[in-house]
Every structure is written in structure tokens, then in C-alpha cells.
Amino acid sequence: MNDPVVLPDFSSFGGQELRGLESPEEATAATQALLTEDRNAGEPTIDDPGQTHVRLERGIRRLDTWYRDAEVRELTGADEEAIAAAGSSSFRVFETLLLRGVRSIGGEPMDRKVAAELLIGDRELLVMGIRRATFGPDLEFEALPCSACGGLVDLTVPLTDIPTVRLEDPERVEFDVPLRRGAVATVRLPTGEDQAAVMAVPGGNAARQDSELLARCVLRVRQDDGTVTRRPAPTALPMSARKAIMAFLVATQPGPRYADYTWVHDECGEEVSLPVSLATLFRGM
Ligand SMILES: [Zn+2]
């Protein structure tokens, strides 16, 4: 790949950090261009079914049924070229990965609309599944510098060892977040569509990005005296409420937490975490 841009930390795609992402105006056009290509050109016809199935935390709802079984596939050279063409926007790279590497969810072919419906954590589970189908079940690090002592280590980490946040009740779509003075906010968890809207906020203003997310995900706030405000303006919410709700959204979003995986370096005895990024997952992509 001739794109020298280092991708941001993988966790910036979802649960752990929602800000600091670019705002790719042309993302829609680029994605549409991808969709008009034959996504299946040159794909292998035989896959190991165990390596291509992904069980999502929430999935997609059709009528009253949630569908959680997804099929991913091994990426090919054609995919690699398309991903390189997606440019330096991490969101666009991620979206391209999903659109090309996911065959179907609940038997429904993957497309932009389905990708937008998915919880951010489900999108990350799918990317992990595409990674597994493409390079196998282990993350392999060669001559990885220990972040404590700088010593070089070879390390193999099974993807199944990466801590993963689960939803207590996958079908629950509204959550109550306690605020100060007995108030309660009722929220929903962010999806791919919300993520795209946050990234479209111009100027990378983190507070505005938070406002965009809160405007979309806070359904109502009930005060201690029973007064209910539906769809409160995020700029009118107390700062403490904004922080509490953002923290809840980040902690509750299901999916892999690469940054929470730690290992002990024998040489120095320190417990350190893994530097996992999209580039690490896809070997320099
Ligand atoms: Zn060390």
C-alpha cells in the first residue's frame, strides 16, 4: 500500500473513544463507488464455515426478530486495492472493510444501510471476524517493543483472548443513566449511522462531536420532580450530565477491547498492553 498515513488506534472506532476522527465529506460518494463494483469479484469459493461465522451482540431487527448471525469472508487482493483506494480516513477504511468483508447478516446481504444500523460494537466484532477469516485466529507480533522496558518480544495472542464487552440483554434498546439530583437520562447505544454523523462534525471539535452524539442518543431526561424533557438539546444539558452519559455510552457499548488486553513481559516483570490498530490487525494495511 502506498498510503503512508498511520491509522489511528483501533479503539477510536467504537466503545472506547468516539472522537478525534476525521470528517470525510466524500465518504458517501466513495462508498457508493465501491458498491457499484462487483464486490464478489475474485473471492475464494471455499471457506471454512467455522472461520467465517460471526455471532453479533445485537444484530439487526426485521419485524419483531433480531438477527445475529453474520457471515464474513477472506479478503483478497481486489479488497486490498479497494481499501487502499479508500484513502487515509480511518472511518472510510473501516466502512470499506465492512462492506467488502461481510457477506450477510441474518441472510440479508451487507450494504451501507445495514452497516449503518449496526451497533458500533457489532461493527468491530465483524472487523475482527474478517481479520480472522483473512489471517487466522491469532495476532502475531514480531519484535514488538515492550512499552515498559523497550525490550523486543515475539508474541502470539489468540483473538479469543481479547476482552469483549457483552450486552446483559441484547434486545434491550433503552438504558437509564442516573444523573445528579435524582434526574435520569434514557439513552440508546450509538450505531454506525451515529458514528458517521459524529465524524461529519466539521473541525474535529470534540465537544461538538459529543453534542452530536448526545442529540442522537439521548431520548429523554426525567427530573426528580417527574418533569420529562424529550430529546433535550445537548447544549442545554449540564456538563456533569453530558460526561455521565458519554461515559455510560462508552462503557456499555459491546465489542472487543483491544486496549484492555495485557501481558506480563518476563524480562522486566511489567504488565503491559498491546498496541492494536487496524494496521496491526490487517498486517500493515
Ligand atoms: Zn518489558
Side-chain angles (χ1 to χ4, degrees):
M1 307 247 271
N2 47 18
D3 179 1
V5 176
V6 176
L7 289 166
D9 191 276
F10 185 71
S11 61
S12 65
F13 287 100
Q16 314 202 356
E17 183 74 73
L18 285 157
R19 51 177 59 153
L21 302 166
E22 306 96 304
S23 51
E25 270 77 23
E26 327 95 290
T28 306
T31 312
Q32 269 161 356
L34 279 170
L35 285 172
T36 59
E37 292 175 27
D38 179 7
R39 275 192 283 157
N40 298 330
E43 74 176 272
T45 49
I46 302 167
D47 276 322
D48 172 358
Q51 292 295 311
T52 58
H53 173 256
V54 177
R55 179 75 175 170
L56 301 177
E57 272 296 295
R58 176 174 292 167
I60 56 173
R61 184 155 88 174
R62 295 295 177 265
L63 300 175
D64 284 333
T65 307
W66 288 95
Y67 294 91
R68 296 201 181 85
D69 291 301
E71 283 297 317
V72 297
R73 68 173 176 84
E74 180 179 5
L75 297 180
T76 65
D79 301 314
E80 195 181 346
E81 287 186 10
I83 290 160
S88 61
S89 153
S90 51
F91 182 77
R92 214 187 299 173
V93 167
F94 198 88
E95 188 81 1
T96 307
L97 265 171
L98 283 178
L99 293 175
R100 297 189 68 101
V102 180
R103 283 183 206 273
S104 60
I105 295 172
E108 191 170 320
M110 184 62 160
D111 62 17
R112 274 185 61 223
K113 196 178 151 292
V114 173
E117 279 177 63
L118 293 169
L119 286 183
I120 291 172
D122 275 345
R123 291 160 60 92
E124 293 195 5
L125 284 171
L126 286 167
V127 164
M128 184 189 254
I130 297 165
R131 197 281 172 195
R132 189 184 58 198
T134 304
F135 292 114
D138 296 328
L139 287 175
E140 279 151 17
F141 297 87
E142 279 176 26
L144 174 74
C146 167
S147 60
C149 72
L152 301 180
V153 192
D154 292 346
L155 198 64
T156 299
V157 180
L159 285 171
T160 48
D161 284 3
I162 300 297
T164 300
V165 173
R166 318 295 305 259
L167 290 174
E168 229 166 80
D169 173 4
E171 300 192 0
R172 183 167 163 196
V173 293
E174 294 188 4
F175 300 81
D176 285 343
V177 184
L179 306 176
R180 292 181 67 210
R181 293 185 287 272
V184 175
T186 302
V187 303
R188 64 169 179 80
L189 297 180
T191 62
E193 185 176 17
D194 301 316
Q195 196 176 16
V198 166
M199 290 194 340
V201 171
N205 179 321
R208 278 207 194 135
Q209 290 181 330
D210 286 357
S211 292
E212 178 66 31
L213 194 72
L214 293 167
R216 303 176 68 94
C217 293
V218 180
L219 306 174
R220 55 191 175 272
V221 173
R222 194 185 68 241
Q223 304 300 334
D224 198 26
D225 66 2
T227 317
V228 174
T229 310
R230 294 189 187 278
R231 295 282 178 185
T235 45
L237 287 173
M239 207 165 147
S240 63
R242 288 167 59 100
K243 302 279 177 210
I245 295 166
M246 289 301 295
F248 178 89
L249 294 178
V250 167
T252 311
Q253 180 73 237
R257 298 288 198 269
Y258 297 96
D260 290 350
Y261 178 88
T262 56
W263 54 286
V264 175
H265 184 209
D266 290 339
E267 297 286 312
C268 69
E270 292 294 321
E271 186 174 356
V272 289
S273 56
L274 281 181
V276 176
S277 66
L278 264 190
T280 325
L281 284 183
F282 289 92
R283 302 197 175 164
M285 183 188 72

